[in-house]
Amino acid sequence: MTGAPPSPPAAPILGLLARLGGPHRRGRQFGSQGWPRPLEPALPEAQLPSLRARLAPVLARLNTDRQAWVARTERELRLAASLAALAGLALGWSMGGLPLGLALMLGGAAFALLLLTGRAQGSLRAATKQGIIGTLAPDLTGLASVSPEARAALYTPERLEAWHLARPVHSVTVDECLTGERAGYHVRVARIGLYTGNENNREAEVGGGLCLVAVELVADGTHDGTPTFVIPTDAARALRAPPLSPRPPQMATGDADFDARYQVLGNPAPLGAQARAAFAALEAVTRADPTCTREVPPGTGLRPFVILRPGQVTVLTPLALFDGAFEPPPPWQSLDADTLIPRFAADLLAMDQHLTAALALTKGLSR
Protein backbone atom coordinates (compact mmCIF):
# COMPACT_ATOMS: atom_id res chain seq x y z
CA MET A 1 0.00 0.00 0.00
CA THR A 2 1.38 3.38 -0.92
CA GLY A 3 1.91 5.85 1.89
CA ALA A 4 1.62 5.31 5.60
CA PRO A 5 -1.61 3.85 6.99
CA PRO A 6 -3.95 6.38 8.58
CA SER A 7 -3.52 7.16 12.24
CA PRO A 8 -5.69 4.92 14.40
CA PRO A 9 -8.78 6.60 15.85
CA ALA A 10 -8.97 7.45 19.50
CA ALA A 11 -10.65 4.58 21.33
CA PRO A 12 -10.32 5.09 25.10
CA ILE A 13 -13.18 2.77 26.05
CA LEU A 14 -12.35 0.03 23.54
CA GLY A 15 -8.67 0.28 24.43
CA LEU A 16 -9.46 0.01 28.14
CA LEU A 17 -11.59 -3.07 27.58
CA ALA A 18 -8.78 -4.63 25.55
CA ARG A 19 -6.27 -3.98 28.34
CA LEU A 20 -8.62 -5.42 30.95
CA GLY A 21 -9.10 -8.51 28.81
CA GLY A 22 -5.40 -9.03 28.19
CA PRO A 23 -3.61 -8.84 24.84
CA HIS A 24 -5.70 -9.05 21.71
CA ARG A 25 -6.07 -12.73 20.91
CA ARG A 26 -6.48 -13.96 17.39
CA GLY A 27 -8.48 -16.97 16.31
CA ARG A 28 -9.86 -17.63 19.76
CA GLN A 29 -11.94 -20.72 19.14
CA PHE A 30 -12.29 -23.97 21.08
CA GLY A 31 -9.86 -22.90 23.79
CA SER A 32 -7.19 -21.52 21.48
CA GLN A 33 -4.62 -19.39 23.25
CA GLY A 34 -4.54 -17.17 20.21
CA TRP A 35 -0.89 -17.42 19.24
CA PRO A 36 -0.74 -17.37 15.42
CA ARG A 37 1.23 -20.20 13.86
CA PRO A 38 4.47 -19.51 11.96
CA LEU A 39 3.97 -17.96 8.55
CA GLU A 40 4.34 -21.16 6.53
CA PRO A 41 4.32 -21.53 3.62
CA ALA A 42 5.98 -18.18 3.00
CA LEU A 43 4.81 -15.85 0.25
CA PRO A 44 7.42 -15.38 -2.51
CA GLU A 45 8.80 -11.83 -2.34
CA ALA A 46 8.14 -11.31 -6.05
CA GLN A 47 4.37 -11.53 -5.47
CA LEU A 48 4.23 -8.91 -2.74
CA PRO A 49 4.23 -5.73 -4.93
CA SER A 50 1.30 -6.84 -7.11
CA LEU A 51 -0.71 -8.02 -4.11
CA ARG A 52 0.04 -4.77 -2.28
CA ALA A 53 -1.22 -2.75 -5.25
CA ARG A 54 -4.37 -4.85 -5.54
CA LEU A 55 -5.12 -4.67 -1.82
CA ALA A 56 -4.41 -0.92 -1.40
CA PRO A 57 -7.87 0.40 -2.34
CA VAL A 58 -9.56 -2.35 -0.33
CA LEU A 59 -7.59 -1.50 2.80
CA ALA A 60 -8.25 2.22 2.29
CA ARG A 61 -11.99 1.53 2.25
CA LEU A 62 -11.80 -0.85 5.19
CA ASN A 63 -9.75 1.61 7.25
CA THR A 64 -12.35 4.31 6.63
CA ASP A 65 -15.14 1.94 7.63
CA ARG A 66 -13.25 0.84 10.75
CA GLN A 67 -12.55 4.40 11.84
CA ALA A 68 -16.24 5.24 11.47
CA TRP A 69 -17.12 2.08 13.41
CA VAL A 70 -14.78 2.95 16.27
CA ALA A 71 -16.13 6.50 16.54
CA ARG A 72 -19.73 5.28 16.45
CA THR A 73 -19.09 2.46 18.90
CA GLU A 74 -17.32 4.77 21.35
CA ARG A 75 -20.37 7.05 21.35
CA GLU A 76 -22.75 4.13 21.81
CA LEU A 77 -20.65 2.67 24.60
CA ARG A 78 -20.49 5.97 26.45
CA LEU A 79 -24.26 6.37 26.18
CA ALA A 80 -24.99 2.77 27.19
CA ALA A 81 -22.56 2.88 30.11
CA SER A 82 -24.06 6.15 31.35
CA LEU A 83 -27.61 4.85 31.19
CA ALA A 84 -26.68 1.54 32.82
CA ALA A 85 -24.75 3.35 35.53
CA LEU A 86 -27.69 5.64 36.31
CA ALA A 87 -30.09 2.70 36.39
CA GLY A 88 -27.77 0.75 38.68
CA LEU A 89 -27.30 3.72 40.99
CA ALA A 90 -31.04 4.30 41.25
CA LEU A 91 -31.79 0.63 41.86
CA GLY A 92 -29.02 0.22 44.42
CA TRP A 93 -29.94 3.44 46.25
CA SER A 94 -33.56 2.29 46.58
CA MET A 95 -32.49 -1.15 47.83
CA GLY A 96 -29.55 -0.45 50.12
CA GLY A 97 -28.35 3.12 49.97
CA LEU A 98 -25.27 4.72 48.46
CA PRO A 99 -22.74 1.82 48.79
CA LEU A 100 -24.99 -0.63 46.98
CA GLY A 101 -25.93 2.05 44.48
CA LEU A 102 -22.31 2.72 43.61
CA ALA A 103 -21.60 -0.99 43.26
CA LEU A 104 -24.56 -1.54 40.94
CA MET A 105 -23.64 1.59 39.01
CA LEU A 106 -20.16 0.23 38.24
CA GLY A 107 -21.46 -3.26 37.56
CA GLY A 108 -24.18 -2.02 35.22
CA ALA A 109 -21.76 0.14 33.26
CA ALA A 110 -19.22 -2.70 32.94
CA PHE A 111 -21.88 -5.20 31.84
CA ALA A 112 -23.22 -2.84 29.19
CA LEU A 113 -19.74 -2.20 27.82
CA LEU A 114 -18.79 -5.85 27.58
CA LEU A 115 -22.12 -6.89 26.05
CA LEU A 116 -22.19 -4.23 23.37
CA THR A 117 -18.51 -4.54 22.48
CA GLY A 118 -18.75 -8.29 21.92
CA ARG A 119 -21.80 -7.95 19.71
CA ALA A 120 -20.42 -5.09 17.66
CA GLN A 121 -17.00 -6.49 16.81
CA GLY A 122 -18.25 -9.70 15.19
CA SER A 123 -19.70 -8.15 12.05
CA LEU A 124 -16.76 -5.78 11.60
CA ARG A 125 -14.26 -8.62 11.95
CA ALA A 126 -16.12 -10.68 9.34
CA ALA A 127 -16.30 -7.76 6.90
CA THR A 128 -12.59 -7.01 7.30
CA LYS A 129 -11.56 -10.63 6.78
CA GLN A 130 -13.83 -11.00 3.77
CA GLY A 131 -12.42 -7.87 2.16
CA ILE A 132 -8.82 -9.03 2.56
CA ILE A 133 -9.28 -12.71 1.72
CA GLY A 134 -11.67 -12.00 -1.14
CA THR A 135 -8.96 -9.85 -2.73
CA LEU A 136 -5.98 -12.16 -2.15
CA ALA A 137 -7.51 -15.60 -2.71
CA PRO A 138 -8.05 -15.45 -6.50
CA ASP A 139 -4.42 -14.42 -7.13
CA LEU A 140 -2.89 -16.91 -4.70
CA THR A 141 -5.15 -19.94 -5.15
CA GLY A 142 -7.37 -19.32 -8.17
CA LEU A 143 -10.37 -19.78 -5.87
CA ALA A 144 -13.04 -17.39 -4.63
CA SER A 145 -13.84 -16.69 -0.99
CA VAL A 146 -17.38 -17.58 0.04
CA SER A 147 -19.24 -14.92 2.02
CA PRO A 148 -19.87 -15.57 5.73
CA GLU A 149 -23.62 -15.96 5.18
CA ALA A 150 -23.23 -18.41 2.31
CA ARG A 151 -20.58 -20.57 3.96
CA ALA A 152 -22.66 -20.96 7.11
CA ALA A 153 -25.39 -22.45 4.92
CA LEU A 154 -22.89 -24.85 3.30
CA TYR A 155 -21.84 -26.48 6.58
CA THR A 156 -24.97 -27.02 8.61
CA PRO A 157 -25.15 -29.85 11.19
CA GLU A 158 -27.73 -31.55 8.97
CA ARG A 159 -25.42 -31.56 5.95
CA LEU A 160 -22.50 -32.86 8.01
CA GLU A 161 -24.52 -35.96 8.82
CA ALA A 162 -23.30 -37.28 5.46
CA TRP A 163 -19.81 -37.47 6.97
CA HIS A 164 -21.05 -40.10 9.46
CA LEU A 165 -19.07 -38.70 12.39
CA ALA A 166 -19.06 -40.62 15.63
CA ARG A 167 -21.34 -38.14 17.44
CA PRO A 168 -24.18 -35.88 16.25
CA VAL A 169 -22.92 -32.45 15.22
CA HIS A 170 -24.34 -29.83 17.56
CA SER A 171 -22.98 -26.62 16.01
CA VAL A 172 -20.56 -25.56 13.29
CA THR A 173 -18.29 -22.52 12.94
CA VAL A 174 -16.89 -21.83 9.46
CA ASP A 175 -13.71 -19.79 9.70
CA GLU A 176 -13.10 -19.60 5.95
CA CYS A 177 -14.28 -21.26 2.77
CA LEU A 178 -12.81 -21.13 -0.74
CA THR A 179 -14.50 -22.53 -3.82
CA GLY A 180 -13.87 -22.87 -7.53
CA GLU A 181 -12.81 -25.29 -10.25
CA ARG A 182 -9.57 -27.24 -10.47
CA ALA A 183 -8.36 -30.32 -12.35
CA GLY A 184 -11.85 -31.13 -13.59
CA TYR A 185 -13.46 -30.97 -10.14
CA HIS A 186 -15.74 -28.52 -8.41
CA VAL A 187 -13.65 -27.88 -5.31
CA ARG A 188 -14.33 -26.46 -1.90
CA VAL A 189 -11.82 -26.12 0.93
CA ALA A 190 -12.89 -24.80 4.31
CA ARG A 191 -11.53 -24.38 7.79
CA ILE A 192 -14.30 -25.29 10.20
CA GLY A 193 -14.85 -25.98 13.87
CA LEU A 194 -17.60 -28.18 15.16
CA TYR A 195 -19.01 -29.30 18.45
CA THR A 196 -20.49 -32.77 18.71
CA GLY A 197 -23.55 -33.27 20.87
CA ASN A 198 -25.23 -35.95 22.91
CA GLU A 199 -27.40 -38.64 21.37
CA ASN A 200 -30.36 -36.28 21.08
CA ASN A 201 -28.13 -33.54 19.63
CA ARG A 202 -29.49 -31.03 22.13
CA GLU A 203 -26.41 -30.13 24.12
CA ALA A 204 -22.79 -29.63 23.18
CA GLU A 205 -20.67 -32.46 24.51
CA VAL A 206 -17.91 -31.52 26.95
CA GLY A 207 -14.61 -31.93 25.15
CA GLY A 208 -16.46 -32.50 21.87
CA GLY A 209 -14.86 -29.65 19.94
CA LEU A 210 -12.92 -30.42 16.78
CA CYS A 211 -11.33 -28.20 14.14
CA LEU A 212 -10.81 -29.42 10.58
CA VAL A 213 -9.66 -28.49 7.15
CA ALA A 214 -12.40 -29.96 4.96
CA VAL A 215 -11.62 -30.48 1.26
CA GLU A 216 -14.50 -31.54 -0.99
CA LEU A 217 -13.97 -32.53 -4.63
CA VAL A 218 -16.96 -33.24 -6.85
CA ALA A 219 -16.81 -34.30 -10.49
CA ASP A 220 -19.67 -33.88 -12.93
CA GLY A 221 -21.94 -36.90 -13.14
CA THR A 222 -23.61 -39.30 -10.74
CA HIS A 223 -22.50 -39.58 -7.12
CA ASP A 224 -24.77 -42.39 -5.99
CA GLY A 225 -23.37 -45.45 -4.31
CA THR A 226 -22.25 -46.68 -0.91
CA PRO A 227 -19.42 -44.56 0.48
CA THR A 228 -16.06 -45.95 1.52
CA PHE A 229 -14.57 -44.51 4.70
CA VAL A 230 -10.82 -44.44 5.24
CA ILE A 231 -10.31 -43.79 8.94
CA PRO A 232 -6.89 -43.43 10.56
CA THR A 233 -6.28 -45.79 13.44
CA ASP A 234 -5.25 -42.79 15.58
CA ALA A 235 -8.33 -40.73 14.62
CA ALA A 236 -9.68 -38.03 16.90
CA ARG A 237 -12.63 -39.16 19.00
CA ALA A 238 -15.23 -37.30 16.92
CA LEU A 239 -14.11 -39.26 13.84
CA ARG A 240 -14.21 -42.74 15.36
CA ALA A 241 -17.14 -45.01 14.56
CA PRO A 242 -19.43 -45.90 17.48
CA PRO A 243 -20.81 -49.45 17.75
CA LEU A 244 -24.11 -48.50 16.09
CA SER A 245 -22.59 -46.37 13.33
CA PRO A 246 -24.25 -46.92 9.92
CA ARG A 247 -20.86 -47.23 8.23
CA PRO A 248 -20.07 -50.29 6.04
CA PRO A 249 -18.05 -53.24 7.41
CA GLN A 250 -14.27 -53.05 7.63
CA MET A 251 -12.31 -54.52 4.75
CA ALA A 252 -8.58 -55.06 4.18
CA THR A 253 -6.69 -53.62 1.22
CA GLY A 254 -4.02 -56.31 1.34
CA ASP A 255 -1.34 -53.69 2.06
CA ALA A 256 -0.18 -54.51 5.59
CA ASP A 257 1.45 -51.12 6.19
CA PHE A 258 -1.60 -49.19 4.98
CA ASP A 259 -4.03 -51.41 6.89
CA ALA A 260 -2.02 -50.82 10.07
CA ARG A 261 -2.46 -47.06 9.67
CA TYR A 262 -6.01 -46.91 8.32
CA GLN A 263 -9.30 -48.77 8.66
CA VAL A 264 -11.17 -49.10 5.38
CA LEU A 265 -14.93 -49.37 5.87
CA GLY A 266 -16.59 -50.33 2.61
CA ASN A 267 -15.29 -51.31 -0.80
CA PRO A 268 -11.44 -51.13 -0.85
CA ALA A 269 -11.26 -51.52 -4.65
CA PRO A 270 -10.64 -47.80 -5.40
CA LEU A 271 -7.62 -47.86 -3.07
CA GLY A 272 -5.06 -49.31 -5.43
CA ALA A 273 -1.32 -48.95 -5.00
CA GLN A 274 -1.24 -45.43 -6.46
CA ALA A 275 -4.05 -44.22 -4.22
CA ARG A 276 -2.47 -45.69 -1.10
CA ALA A 277 0.83 -44.02 -2.01
CA ALA A 278 -1.01 -40.69 -2.48
CA PHE A 279 -1.96 -40.70 1.20
CA ALA A 280 1.63 -39.59 1.87
CA ALA A 281 0.75 -36.18 0.41
CA LEU A 282 -2.30 -35.94 2.70
CA GLU A 283 -0.21 -36.89 5.72
CA ALA A 284 2.45 -34.31 4.83
CA VAL A 285 0.11 -31.39 5.64
CA THR A 286 -1.14 -32.63 9.02
CA ARG A 287 -0.43 -30.38 12.02
CA ALA A 288 -2.57 -31.47 15.00
CA ASP A 289 -1.26 -33.49 17.94
CA PRO A 290 -3.36 -36.40 19.33
CA THR A 291 -5.26 -34.07 21.66
CA CYS A 292 -6.12 -31.66 18.80
CA THR A 293 -4.99 -28.79 21.02
CA ARG A 294 -1.37 -28.28 19.98
CA GLU A 295 0.29 -27.79 16.63
CA VAL A 296 3.17 -30.05 15.66
CA PRO A 297 5.55 -29.87 12.68
CA PRO A 298 3.85 -30.52 9.33
CA GLY A 299 3.62 -34.21 8.54
CA THR A 300 3.66 -35.39 12.16
CA GLY A 301 0.04 -34.71 13.13
CA LEU A 302 -3.14 -36.77 13.15
CA ARG A 303 -3.76 -38.37 9.79
CA PRO A 304 -6.78 -37.38 7.65
CA PHE A 305 -10.20 -39.00 7.50
CA VAL A 306 -11.29 -39.67 3.89
CA ILE A 307 -14.73 -40.38 2.43
CA LEU A 308 -14.89 -41.79 -1.10
CA ARG A 309 -18.01 -41.80 -3.24
CA PRO A 310 -18.35 -42.22 -7.01
CA GLY A 311 -17.14 -38.93 -8.46
CA GLN A 312 -16.67 -37.37 -5.04
CA VAL A 313 -13.84 -37.21 -2.49
CA THR A 314 -13.98 -35.60 0.97
CA VAL A 315 -10.83 -35.20 3.07
CA LEU A 316 -11.10 -34.09 6.72
CA THR A 317 -7.79 -33.16 8.35
CA PRO A 318 -7.80 -32.32 12.09
CA LEU A 319 -6.39 -28.95 13.13
CA ALA A 320 -4.87 -27.85 16.40
CA LEU A 321 -7.75 -25.53 17.23
CA PHE A 322 -8.06 -22.43 15.06
CA ASP A 323 -4.49 -21.17 14.89
CA GLY A 324 -5.55 -17.62 14.16
CA ALA A 325 -3.42 -16.37 11.30
CA PHE A 326 -6.60 -15.49 9.41
CA GLU A 327 -7.24 -12.51 11.68
CA PRO A 328 -7.25 -8.74 11.24
CA PRO A 329 -5.91 -6.57 14.07
CA PRO A 330 -8.28 -4.93 16.56
CA PRO A 331 -10.60 -2.35 14.96
CA TRP A 332 -8.79 0.61 16.51
CA GLN A 333 -5.57 -0.37 14.73
CA SER A 334 -5.08 0.59 11.09
CA LEU A 335 -4.76 -2.11 8.45
CA ASP A 336 -1.34 -2.22 6.80
CA ALA A 337 -0.68 -4.26 3.67
CA ASP A 338 2.93 -5.13 4.50
CA THR A 339 1.81 -6.62 7.81
CA LEU A 340 -1.34 -8.36 6.66
CA ILE A 341 -0.38 -9.83 3.29
CA PRO A 342 2.29 -12.30 4.53
CA ARG A 343 0.02 -13.54 7.32
CA PHE A 344 -3.12 -13.99 5.23
CA ALA A 345 -1.13 -15.37 2.31
CA ALA A 346 0.40 -18.05 4.55
CA ASP A 347 -3.04 -19.29 5.52
CA LEU A 348 -4.35 -19.23 1.97
CA LEU A 349 -1.30 -21.14 0.72
CA ALA A 350 -1.65 -23.67 3.56
CA MET A 351 -5.29 -24.30 2.59
CA ASP A 352 -4.16 -24.66 -1.01
CA GLN A 353 -1.67 -27.33 0.10
CA HIS A 354 -4.54 -29.34 1.55
CA LEU A 355 -6.42 -29.02 -1.73
CA THR A 356 -3.39 -30.03 -3.79
CA ALA A 357 -2.86 -33.12 -1.63
CA ALA A 358 -6.51 -34.16 -2.02
CA LEU A 359 -6.27 -33.76 -5.80
CA ALA A 360 -3.18 -35.99 -5.79
CA LEU A 361 -5.32 -38.69 -4.18
CA THR A 362 -7.93 -38.51 -6.94
CA LYS A 363 -5.27 -39.23 -9.58
CA GLY A 364 -4.44 -42.51 -7.91
CA LEU A 365 -7.95 -43.81 -7.29
CA SER A 366 -8.85 -46.88 -9.29
CA ARG A 367 -11.83 -46.31 -11.56
Side-chain angles (χ1 to χ4, degrees):
M1 186 170 63
T2 58
S7 299
I13 298 179
L14 290 170
L16 175 61
L17 292 174
R19 287 192 294 272
L20 292 176
H24 179 66
R25 292 181 174 180
R26 297 181 172 90
R28 197 174 177 188
Q29 301 277 357
F30 303 98
S32 169
Q33 296 303 304
W35 306 115
R37 63 172 176 80
L39 300 184
E40 299 172 353
L43 175 72
E45 286 290 333
Q47 289 187 266
L48 184 58
S50 62
L51 293 176
R52 187 190 295 116
R54 186 180 294 274
L55 196 59
V58 176
L59 292 189
R61 173 180 58 82
L62 290 173
N63 274 323
T64 299
D65 292 345
R66 285 157 65 88
Q67 287 182 341
W69 179 90
V70 168
R72 182 175 64 253
T73 302
E74 284 284 318
R75 291 194 299 269
E76 293 174 352
L77 290 176
R78 283 196 294 269
L79 177 60
S82 299
L83 294 176
L86 288 175
L89 178 61
L91 178 63
W93 191 291
S94 65
M95 295 174 59
L98 181 60
L100 182 58
L102 292 174
L104 291 181
M105 178 183 72
L106 294 175
F111 177 77
L113 290 177
L114 293 173
L115 180 64
L116 291 177
T117 303
R119 287 180 176 178
Q121 287 194 53
S123 59
L124 180 72
R125 170 184 175 271
T128 302
K129 287 182 59 177
Q130 187 63 21
I132 297 170
I133 297 169
T135 303
L136 297 180
D139 282 354
L140 291 174
T141 67
L143 304 176
S145 176
V146 180
S147 69
E149 299 78 15
R151 63 187 182 231
L154 289 173
Y155 293 96
T156 62
E158 293 73 22
R159 181 176 175 273
L160 266 57
E161 289 179 3
W163 292 354
H164 294 259
L165 303 180
R167 301 286 187 275
V169 177
H170 178 265
S171 59
V172 185
T173 300
V174 187
D175 185 57
E176 185 49 53
C177 180
L178 306 174
T179 188
E181 307 287 328
R182 190 178 294 184
Y185 287 90
H186 306 289
V187 305
R188 186 159 59 227
V189 53
R191 185 162 65 178
I192 68 174
L194 56 87
Y195 272 111
T196 53
N198 60 14
E199 291 183 358
N200 296 321
N201 201 24
R202 293 178 179 174
E203 297 180 1
E205 189 176 55
V206 176
L210 180 67
C211 296
L212 300 164
V213 172
V215 178
E216 297 178 277
L217 312 175
V218 181
D220 291 329
T222 180
H223 305 129
D224 295 331
T226 303
T228 296
F229 299 90
V230 186
I231 307 172
T233 53
D234 63 350
R237 183 179 64 170
L239 300 178
R240 296 179 195 146
L244 299 179
S245 172
R247 294 172 181 165
Q250 182 174 348
M251 303 289 288
T253 66
D255 182 332
D257 179 66
F258 188 85
D259 291 340
R261 293 182 293 124
Y262 293 95
Q263 294 178 336
V264 177
L265 307 183
N267 180 18
L271 295 168
Q274 285 185 301
R276 297 194 301 271
F279 270 75
L282 298 177
E283 295 171 0
V285 296
T286 59
R287 288 178 175 269
D289 77 341
T291 67
C292 291
T293 59
R294 186 174 62 89
E295 187 171 288
V296 294
T300 63
L302 290 177
R303 293 187 293 271
F305 173 101
V306 178
I307 307 169
L308 304 175
R309 290 183 173 87
Q312 187 173 358
V313 175
T314 301
V315 180
L316 308 177
T317 306
L319 282 177
L321 313 169
F322 280 173
D323 49 40
F326 258 147
E327 278 299 311
W332 52 90
Q333 293 181 10
S334 296
L335 302 172
D336 174 61
D338 290 335
T339 302
L340 292 173
I341 289 176
R343 190 165 74 218
F344 278 72
D347 259 10
L348 285 167
L349 294 173
M351 292 181 73
D352 192 67
Q353 287 182 334
H354 284 269
L355 174 57
T356 301
L359 287 168
L361 174 62
T362 65
K363 296 176 182 177
L365 292 174
S366 301
R367 306 299 179 188

